Amino acid sequence: MARIYNKIVKGNPGVERFFLGNEAIVRGGLESGLDVYTFYPGTPSSEVGEIFLEIFRDVGMKWVESSINEKVAIEVAGAAYARGATVMVGMKNVGLNVASDPLLALATTRPKNSNSALVIFVADDPQQHSSAVEMDSRNYLKLFKVPALEPSNPQECLEFTKRAFKISRELKLPVVLRTVTMVSHARSNVVIGEIKRSEIADDFDLSREVNVASRLYFLELKEDQIYSRMNQALEMSENSSLNRIENEDVKNEYELGIITSGVSYSYVREALDFLELKAPILKIGFINPLPEKLIASFLKRFKQIFVVEENDPYLETQVMAIAQKNGLNLKIYGKDPFSYSKETSLLPFVGELNPTKISLALIKITHIAPKIDLNQIEGKKYKILGRKPILCPGCPHRTTGYALQKAITKIKSKTGKEIYFYQDIGCYTLLAFPPISFANVKYCMGSSIALAQGVAQTNGSLNIAIIGDGTFFHSGIPALLNGIYNKAPILVLILDNGWIGMTGQQPHPGSDTRYYKEGNFKKGINLEEFLRGTGAYVSVIRHDEGNEKEYTARLKELIYEKGLDVLEKQNLHVIVVKDECIQEYIKRHKVRVRHIDVELCNNCGLCYSQFLCPAIYEKDDVAYINSSLCLGCGICEEICPNNAINREEL
Amino acid sequence: MTFDSYTIVITGLGGQGLISLLQILGNALMTNGYKVITAETHGLSQRGGRVTCFLRFGNRLSAPIPMIGSTDMIIATEKSCILDVLKYAKPNKSTKLIISTDEKKIINEDYPSEKYLLSVLHENSDNIYFVPATEIAENLVKNQKAANTVIMGYILRFLPLREEDLEESLKRQFSGENLDINLKALKEGHKLQLDLKLYNF
Ligand SMILES: Cc1ncc(C[n+]2csc(CCOP(=O)(O)OP(=O)(O)O)c2C)c(N)n1
Ligand code: SF4
Ligand code: SF4
């Protein structure tokens, strides 16, 4: 606790810190007099919210919450903004899809209070390092018509955050701060500035300017948004130091200039150094609205332009349009956006960029012979082990997967029916990988329960939705109510591990924060009572103190029984599996590491090749437990048929 | 040795503490006046999947990801993982390869043989160093999680840092028993002789 506070909050202006991009964003918020931060966790954006949640009471901010989902986060933030607060809301790229409905209206409003400022922090994840899909959130900027800034490194994260608040306060428009994984999760030297206390005025007026309920006002406000506020934003963008030309005066024989933004800018510099090529670079930090005049005057100086950006050709298509409008005839290289052709695009739509990809593209444009043969290096292939991500040792989902596998084998052999699985987004998604392979369909957060209904309503198979507690609260509830009301014969497994595990154990409305994080401030909503109120058939199974005995066997029987009931009686059943995320559990309990008695182990392999706990491995024909990895869940002890696994005495 | 611009690739498995390693080294380098940048990926990959991180430092700020064929040092905290990042080694074979002898096998897949591994490593570098970091950590402090700190101690000889710099940095990261374990592991790693003669080349 104190460590985070000391690192982020303490320190005099001018001091250098080794900050994660996201930590720099927190600091930028504090230096802008932030009152409120609302968020929904999602990699690579989560650290910002986690830090604020931890420090906000001590730094005197008004309110911070990990909201139930992104839509609610942006609504809470939007009203606080309207009421005169300095507000930031954070999420990952796909979170913006969930938040988009209220945001469209919110972006149009024009708060009266001079202090009102709203920054929407959105972190994209090219290469989907930790995402189910790859999505370029910049495409929303044209829809929402709001200013947007894109930093390229942690220092810029701090500075751009402060700029974003300034712009929002001045224009009365929400401003998007867009990062990508390699910026949010880069760590670098950051020089800090001065923290400002919030100056929120207590009188406010939720009047016409922020009220878009009426059709009358909406069009009027929309006109104002586009022709007045965005027009001013354009003026700012044209004159902003965030858009700058680097190597202004250098010349190259190819008459080539480069336009880029964000982290791609740093890769461009690296590639130019590698090729010993000199070229002016227009680095765009103010990515919406684009500075048309500045870009046109830059284009005029070249015969060839290379636009470098990750994922979608957001800049490139606009640069093309600007060239056309200004009657400029020059070659624009990039993704050849209208061709949908891999052959003609020099940079990919898909995946992350890096200096090597950019060098290879520059070689195609300039025919420079590089110092080293990149294609030859890329061409060398080695035997690489296909490592899949795995659940933590002691993860409750592994136990559920194991019991589920046993239960469905039994159901299949009894009924001969097909069984389909609808996965949701969370750590349990990893059950989709072999050998367990519980996934037939998966879309996005909260979709499993409805997906199961789509098949169950039209086919006599057994359809099982697997959803985590975090995801259930986020967006699973409407789908469940839909299923109950429409009498969908499905089995819903809610894997209640108490937290939003995948993104780092943040709380959700069912989390009891008594022992952790938010202390006594929040009491979890009782999921069981809530579900009983819906009229569904509900069973709850617990794996906690006093409920350890034959847990796996009981879980298997329960799934078997309810699965049959769904098939036979066409009921909707919900099973809540209450088993805490081991990463949180060990914060409150002593880890009781297990050991294998090599005398009793006959190397049946059940624990390391079927149950697949990563703490267990085979060596010299016996199984061993790595005591540095074991987190003491005890399930291996239960399932070992030879009673060879024992616990360490306390 | 000049450190105008120095790049280290660190590869291993999620959950091995690579991010702490970056933080500790990066912090110490920053304190010594360098511009440092690290790139990490959090999330899914934190659990057993292969993870590759970069740490770059020098007189000016680099990009978070380097060019292939151009880095100064590659560290693999699990042996087979080195194969995935050899493209970052310089074609002139000067890149230092620091490889933990730790093997994490996977069910139903053949682990690369010693012979294969050594032959491709020799194709890529003349500076190959194997460190039995996990064993050392286990024997020394009964905790394999300190293996990275052993490696950190080992590579100190190649970096413009003193042991005290890393000690300071460790103190910022850990406390209590964890700190003691890591301070010990650092010393031990630093003490190791350069060529541990683990293999007959
Ligand atoms: C719309 C959206 N917001 C955020 C995320 C990031 N995210 C991935 S999984 C997850 C929730 C996981 O929580 P839970 O369902 O409780 O499962 P657990 O990981 O705890 O097993 C979140 C928030 C996302 N994928 N989509
Ligand atoms: S070794 Fe056994 S007790 Fe330890 S984490 Fe794995 S399954 Fe649980
Ligand atoms: S974070 Fe928690 S829920 Fe996720 S894999 Fe680890 S133990 Fe399981």
Side-chain angles (χ1 to χ4, degrees):
Chain A
M1 154 84 234
R3 211 172 74 206
I4 299 272
Y5 183 89
N6 289 344
K7 178 171 184 192
I8 308 286
V9 184
K10 283 207 168 159
N12 295 325
V15 164
E16 217 175 34
R17 284 282 142 87
F18 193 51
F19 269 169
L20 199 60
N22 282 347
E23 291 170 338
I25 291 173
V26 172
R27 181 76 197 194
L30 296 174
E31 292 181 12
S32 306
L34 193 64
D35 298 304
V36 174
Y37 186 77
T38 66
F39 71 105
Y40 190 72
T43 317
S45 71
S46 313
E47 292 82 5
V48 177
E50 287 177 357
I51 296 169
F52 275 130
L53 211 48
E54 198 156 322
I55 63 174
F56 86 95
R57 293 179 205 274
D58 297 319
V59 296
M61 284 169 68
K62 284 263 188 301
W63 183 238
V64 172
E65 69 173 46
S66 174
S67 307
I68 193 165
N69 63 31
E70 291 86 350
K71 179 174 184 292
V72 172
I74 215 159
E75 286 160 347
V76 172
Y81 160 64
R83 166 253 183 284
T86 300
V87 184
M88 179 148 62
V89 51
M91 64 198 68
K92 73 180 293 174
N93 54 0
V94 287
L96 204 54
N97 299 334
V98 179
S100 61
D101 206 4
L103 182 50
L104 191 81
L106 165 62
T108 308
T109 63
R110 190 183 54 209
K112 269 188 175 167
N113 195 305
S114 64
N115 192 50
S116 286
L118 175 63
V119 171
I120 299 166
F121 162 48
V122 183
D124 282 10
D125 186 23
Q127 200 70 35
Q128 54 162 189
H129 292 289
S130 353
S131 304
V133 295
E134 191 184 67
M135 173 184 133
D136 189 336
S137 66
R138 293 176 304 169
N139 290 303
Y140 270 118
L141 299 172
K142 296 292 155 200
L143 180 66
F144 297 137
K145 299 167 185 66
V146 293
L149 309 184
E150 177 168 26
S152 68
N153 59 41
Q155 180 73 56
E156 286 190 356
C157 281
L158 190 152
E159 283 157 16
F160 284 37
T161 304
K162 288 164 79 170
R163 289 287 192 105
F165 279 108
K166 238 178 124 213
I167 296 165
S168 176
R169 193 167 287 133
E170 206 171 313
L171 295 182
K172 296 296 169 240
L173 274 172
V175 175
V176 169
L177 181 74
R178 188 250 189 181
T179 66
V180 294
T181 302
M182 284 300 149
V183 172
S184 266
H185 284 174
R187 227 178 264 275
S188 185
N189 312 44
V190 174
V191 179
I192 58 176
E194 192 157 4
I195 291 187
K196 274 209 203 126
R197 291 289 165 212
S198 91
E199 286 160 22
I200 185 167
D202 235 7
D203 55 314
F204 67 99
D205 176 13
L206 278 180
S207 63
R208 180 164 110 86
E209 277 74 4
V210 296
N211 173 4
V212 289
S214 159
R215 282 183 57 199
L216 241 134
Y217 297 144
F218 183 79
L219 293 185
E220 210 176 282
L221 280 171
K222 189 173 171 186
E223 288 238 349
D224 174 83
Q225 178 191 9
I226 298 170
Y227 298 119
S228 166
R229 286 173 286 161
M230 279 304 275
N231 185 281
Q232 284 170 265
L234 175 63
E235 204 49 40
M236 280 184 179
S237 179
E238 292 285 8
N239 299 308
S240 173
S241 59
L242 303 184
N243 300 323
R244 61 163 209 264
I245 298 172
E246 210 172 281
N247 309 336
E248 175 98 53
D249 303 320
V250 307
K251 291 218 160 36
N252 58 59
E253 57 187 286
Y254 317 97
E255 295 185 60
L256 173 72
I258 295 174
I259 300 180
T260 185
S261 72
V263 74
S264 302
Y265 155 77
S266 69
Y267 302 149
V268 164
R269 278 185 32 167
E270 203 90 12
L272 291 177
D273 280 357
F274 170 73
L275 295 171
E276 290 168 9
L277 171 64
K278 291 200 168 16
I281 305 171
L282 172 56
K283 176 189 184 286
I284 299 187
F286 208 129
I287 59 168
N288 200 48
L290 288 183
E292 187 198 331
K293 289 197 196 94
L294 179 70
I295 291 175
S297 72
F298 186 74
L299 295 180
K300 277 188 191 122
R301 298 165 44 192
F302 305 98
K303 292 229 164 69
Q304 311 193 81
I305 284 286
F306 184 29
V307 184
V308 184
E309 62 194 314
E310 285 176 316
N311 288 170
D312 296 339
Y314 168 85
L315 297 175
E316 189 176 345
T317 46
Q318 295 184 74
V319 168
M320 285 173 151
I322 291 169
Q324 198 278 339
K325 184 177 155 189
N326 288 273
L328 299 171
N329 192 7
L330 76 172
K331 184 82 193 133
I332 296 171
Y333 294 101
K335 300 175 198 253
D336 195 10
F338 308 116
S339 73
Y340 295 97
S341 150
K342 222 174 173 171
E343 274 68 57
T344 56
S345 66
L346 292 183
L347 293 174
F349 272 67
V350 181
E352 214 163 40
L353 286 185
N354 58 42
T356 309
K357 287 183 191 171
I358 296 168
S359 297
L360 288 168
L362 279 168
I363 290 168
K364 283 199 184 137
I365 298 172
T366 61
H367 305 287
I368 291 176
K371 283 179 292 205
I372 57 178
D373 188 344
L374 299 174
N375 285 315
Q376 193 203 336
I377 298 177
E378 294 267 33
K380 278 199 207 166
K381 295 284 176 252
Y382 304 101
K383 285 183 228 158
I384 293 163
L385 287 180
R387 290 185 193 272
K388 297 268 178 352
I390 38 178
L391 297 164
C392 301
C395 173
H397 299 325
R398 177 177 294 105
T399 316
T400 307
Y402 183 78
L404 181 57
Q405 199 169 38
K406 300 256 177 246
I408 58 155
T409 313
K410 208 168 147 190
I411 295 173
K412 263 192 190 155
S413 72
K414 184 170 162 96
T415 63
K417 296 267 189 189
E418 274 306 322
I419 302 180
Y420 298 108
F421 299 97
Y422 305 87
Q423 267 285 4
D424 229 298
I425 318 275
C427 288
Y428 45 89
T429 307
L430 299 185
L431 296 174
F433 291 123
I436 297 182
S437 309
F438 286 136
N440 293 96
V441 196
K442 186 191 81 173
Y443 285 175
C444 62
M445 276 187 83
S447 59
S448 61
I449 301 178
L451 291 171
Q453 294 168 36
V455 176
Q457 296 290 28
T458 55
N459 169 300
S461 51
L462 175 58
N463 294 282
I464 304 180
I466 304 173
I467 185 167
D469 50 345
T471 302
F472 181 70
F473 280 109
H474 175 276
S475 48
I477 294 174
L480 180 69
L481 300 187
N482 186 67
I484 295 167
Y485 180 63
N486 288 303
K487 297 194 169 39
I490 58 171
L491 179 61
V492 179
L493 293 182
I494 302 183
L495 309 190
D496 182 0
N497 64 1
W499 306 91
I500 300 175
M502 173 149 251
T503 49
Q505 298 89 41
Q506 295 84 0
H508 59 63
S511 305
D512 194 342
T513 64
R514 215 165 354 141
Y515 304 110
Y516 314 101
K517 307 199 162 126
E518 273 278 82
N520 278 321
F521 290 110
K522 291 169 189 164
K523 188 174 177 320
I525 288 160
N526 186 321
L527 185 58
E528 185 176 345
E529 270 177 33
F530 172 81
L531 290 168
R532 296 217 190 273
T534 66
Y537 293 96
V538 181
S539 324
V540 179
I541 180 164
R542 292 189 164 73
H543 184 221
D544 50 18
E545 278 121 334
N547 287 305
E548 290 105 345
K549 221 165 157 252
E550 295 186 10
Y551 171 70
T552 318
R554 286 189 289 123
L555 179 56
K556 179 191 111 186
E557 271 317 300
L558 182 65
I559 298 172
Y560 171 71
E561 206 178 283
K562 301 306 167 194
L564 278 189
D565 199 64
V566 171
L567 275 174
E568 283 161 10
K569 306 212 184 88
Q570 297 286 294
N571 289 325
L572 184 151
H573 265 284
V574 182
I575 298 179
V576 182
V577 182
K578 282 186 94 67
D579 193 355
E580 192 173 15
C581 167
I582 198 106
Q583 298 292 358
E584 281 294 324
Y585 180 87
I586 57 173
K587 291 183 188 159
R588 229 173 349 113
H589 299 84
K590 190 171 159 37
V591 175
R592 297 186 67 174
V593 172
R594 299 308 198 265
H595 295 290
I596 296 180
D597 185 337
V598 291
E599 298 297 313
L600 292 175
C601 173
N602 70 355
N603 202 18
C604 68
L606 186 77
C607 56
Y608 62 80
S609 70
Q610 273 190 53
F611 185 61
L612 284 175
C613 173
I616 313 182
Y617 61 100
E618 186 208 6
K619 205 174 124 192
D620 310 327
D621 295 328
V622 259
Y624 286 93
I625 291 176
N626 180 334
S627 59
S628 310
L629 292 179
C630 170
L631 293 178
C633 73
I635 300 295
C636 59
E637 182 182 337
E638 188 190 318
I639 61 167
C640 172
N642 300 309
N643 286 322
I645 305 184
N646 307 301
R647 69 183 68 187
E648 183 185 60
E649 286 315 316
L650 287 179
Chain B
M1 185 88 229
T2 64
F3 292 94
D4 292 344
S5 161
Y6 197 90
T7 299
I8 306 178
V9 184
I10 306 175
T11 183
L13 302 179
Q16 283 187 329
L18 301 191
I19 290 170
S20 305
L21 186 74
L22 293 177
Q23 254 176 293
I24 293 158
L25 283 170
N27 226 320
L29 287 160
M30 183 190 82
T31 313
N32 276 272
Y34 289 99
K35 294 247 177 274
V36 189
I37 190 155
T38 69
E40 17 184 292
T41 52
H42 307 201
L44 246 182
S45 50
Q46 278 195 308
R47 304 183 188 103
R50 209 171 30 232
V51 185
T52 298
C53 310
F54 303 100
L55 183 147
R56 316 187 65 195
F57 64 96
N59 306 334
R60 70 168 218 190
L61 192 64
S62 305
I65 304 179
M67 289 287 306
I68 60 169
S70 75
T71 68
D72 301 283
M73 181 189 289
I74 304 180
I75 302 171
T77 58
E78 193 278 347
K79 200 159 81 180
S80 71
C81 289
I82 189 81
L83 294 170
D84 199 27
V85 290
L86 286 174
K87 63 176 179 226
Y88 290 104
K90 292 180 184 166
N92 69 9
K93 297 170 98 179
S94 65
T95 303
K96 295 182 177 67
L97 307 184
I98 318 286
I99 304 164
S100 163
T101 53
D102 195 27
E103 293 182 358
K104 288 269 180 315
K105 305 197 163 141
I106 13 184
I107 306 290
N108 302 332
E109 268 206 68
D110 287 335
Y111 199 83
S113 72
E114 208 108 287
K115 190 166 155 238
Y116 171 72
L117 200 77
L118 285 178
S119 78
V120 297
L121 293 181
H122 282 292
E123 263 170 46
N124 284 282
S125 171
D126 293 331
N127 303 284
I128 306 168
Y129 308 96
F130 285 95
V131 186
T134 307
E135 274 164 66
I136 293 173
E138 176 69 37
N139 295 338
L140 184 75
V141 291
K142 292 269 159 296
N143 194 333
Q144 299 185 10
K145 288 197 191 114
N148 286 347
T149 314
V150 173
I151 294 182
M152 200 148 52
Y154 183 80
I155 61 167
L156 244 180
R157 70 200 73 204
F158 303 124
L159 302 178
L161 288 174
R162 295 161 307 164
E163 195 171 300
E164 302 85 80
D165 299 327
L166 286 182
E167 278 173 5
E168 277 310 305
S169 211
L170 280 170
K171 283 179 194 157
R172 237 171 280 172
Q173 194 83 6
F174 300 108
S175 56
E177 193 193 350
N178 248 334
L179 176 63
D180 295 341
I181 287 176
N182 280 288
L183 289 174
K184 265 196 196 164
L186 179 73
K187 268 213 162 37
E188 190 71 15
H190 197 192
K191 273 198 318 218
L192 289 173
Q193 61 184 84
L194 176 64
D195 187 355
L196 295 163
K197 299 256 181 298
L198 292 167
Y199 292 84
N200 295 323
F201 295 129

